[in-house]
Amino acid sequence: MLALLAEVARTPSFADDEVELARANAAQELKAAEAQPGFRASRALLKAVYGDHPYARTQLDHATLPALTPAALKQEHARRFRPAHGLLVITGRIDAATAFAEAERAFGDWQGQGEAVADTAPAPRQAGGSAAHDPAARGQRAVHVPDRPSGRRRHRPGLRAAAAGQHRAGQRHQQPPQPEPARGKGLHTYGAGARLAALRAGGNLAASADVRNEVTGASLKEFFREFDRLGKEPVPAAELESTKRYVAGGYLISNQLQAAVAGTLANNWLAGLPAEFLGQYVGRIRAVDAAKLQAVAARYYAPDAQSVIVVGDRDAVAPQLAPFGAFGVEER
């Protein structure tokens, strides 16, 4: 198995016909994705949050697909797939001596070729700005208006994965606050939520919901209210304890299988976290208290620091946005 893995990692073929097929499939998938409000909102938000930083360019683009030739892929593979940039994780019923011997046999003579890529620069701490700006600076407002059902995305730059307090910032993303109008007669959405993406060089906090055009303003109001409350009011003890048990329990369950443990270790390494973080996460979650959570929320969840993207029918949506600041319009 390690011999096969070494072949894939070290000497991929990038066959012409396979690359062409993959590129054609990617073009069709991209075309389908661009018809979805969520995809277009995410693309606009990445630009608003990260500006010119590489983290803003995680989605394919029709203009760049033709450049993905076998020759270009081989060149980038040589630059990016290198032993100094790699981590091999072996889990299971195998002793360390045997595992290291097999790893040496498969990868021991691997040498990097050419000039390696530079480390990723720190991501901006202000939406669309530079890392030097105050993280509490006001976010951007933009409205992207294709003729689609309304979808909203709210982002702001967040913490990198290894930053102190990162585990506190994400406490409630597993169980996002549900505004009252989302229930009963005044139903706005079945799927409001928020998440924290903590990466090696930075991160972002995002909240989103797909709603009807006519309730876009009301939904934005509820999101602003909930994020404002997080920074101004302590989370009730019962809710905090329930959420901590949920997050810690989900982490333990998700890391029961060997493959899951290997994946978590690899992902932590990619994010700049030490191997021992695997066993520290639950303890850190359990140590979070309401005061710490409120302090982090006041700094990183502040409504005025967030960028807002609204995707929907312009005539129906635009009049509802006046209370939330000045919005620009990006055409299709």
Side-chain angles (χ1 to χ4, degrees):
M1 185 183 68
L2 276 174
L4 177 61
L5 180 62
E7 179 183 353
V8 171
R10 298 175 58 176
T11 58
S13 63
F14 295 113
D16 290 357
D17 57 341
E18 294 183 9
V19 172
E20 180 59 32
L21 177 61
R23 193 165 52 193
N25 289 339
Q28 291 300 316
E29 292 169 1
L30 179 58
K31 184 177 180 180
E34 287 180 331
Q36 303 301 316
F39 178 88
R40 303 180 72 177
S42 295
R43 183 164 59 188
L45 273 168
L46 287 172
K47 182 178 179 181
V49 171
Y50 293 120
D52 292 331
H53 191 272
Y55 283 176
R57 300 187 293 274
T58 62
Q59 297 172 326
L60 287 175
D61 187 277
H62 290 290
T64 60
L65 282 174
L68 300 178
T69 63
L73 293 172
K74 289 176 183 178
Q75 178 181 345
E76 287 305 307
H77 175 270
R79 297 177 66 226
R80 297 174 184 278
F81 279 69
R82 309 169 69 88
H85 290 174
L87 173 72
L88 176 64
V89 182
I90 301 175
T91 61
R93 293 187 177 182
I94 181 172
D95 61 85
T98 301
F100 278 113
E102 293 296 335
E104 179 69 26
R105 190 180 352 266
F107 293 97
D109 62 347
W110 189 14
Q111 302 292 325
Q113 303 176 26
E115 183 180 357
V117 295
D119 289 339
T120 303
R125 295 169 59 195
Q126 176 191 8
S130 69
H133 288 104
D134 182 356
R138 185 173 182 82
Q140 298 178 352
R141 298 287 187 262
V143 56
H144 181 83
V145 192
D147 185 18
R148 299 289 178 191
S150 181
R152 295 177 298 93
R153 300 293 185 272
R154 298 161 49 82
H155 273 220
R156 67 143 296 146
L159 301 111
R160 59 187 177 89
Q166 177 269 125
H167 55 288
R168 294 192 289 273
Q171 276 305 295
R172 298 188 74 183
H173 83 284
Q174 296 272 9
Q175 294 181 327
Q178 292 290 327
E180 291 181 5
R183 294 188 295 264
K185 185 176 180 181
L187 182 67
H188 286 181
T189 180
Y190 290 103
R195 65 167 178 79
L196 166 70
L199 309 173
R200 189 181 190 93
N204 68 75
L205 306 166
S208 63
D210 293 320
V211 302
R212 304 187 312 278
N213 284 307
E214 57 268 26
V215 296
T216 298
S219 299
L220 276 174
K221 181 179 178 180
E222 292 300 327
F223 265 100
F224 274 112
R225 183 174 70 88
E226 291 293 338
F227 278 119
D228 191 54
R229 286 179 58 209
L230 277 172
K232 293 181 177 179
E233 303 174 12
V235 176
E239 180 182 350
L240 178 58
E241 184 60 30
S242 174
T243 302
K244 287 162 60 174
R245 287 200 303 267
Y246 179 85
V247 174
Y251 180 83
L252 293 172
I253 291 173
S254 67
N255 283 287
Q256 286 186 325
L257 301 180
Q258 296 286 2
V261 172
T264 298
L265 286 168
N267 288 329
N268 286 351
W269 178 81
L270 285 171
L273 295 168
E276 53 267 25
F277 189 78
L278 176 73
Q280 296 173 348
Y281 181 79
V282 170
R284 294 189 179 195
I285 291 297
R286 289 174 174 163
V288 172
D289 59 32
K292 293 176 182 177
L293 180 57
Q294 185 178 344
V296 171
R299 183 179 184 188
Y300 289 99
Y301 283 33
D304 282 350
Q306 298 182 14
S307 298
V308 180
I309 303 292
V310 179
V311 182
D313 178 82
R314 182 191 306 178
D315 293 337
V317 169
Q320 304 175 53
L321 302 179
F324 307 102
F327 282 74
V329 178
E330 180 182 338
E331 300 291 350
R332 279 192 175 193

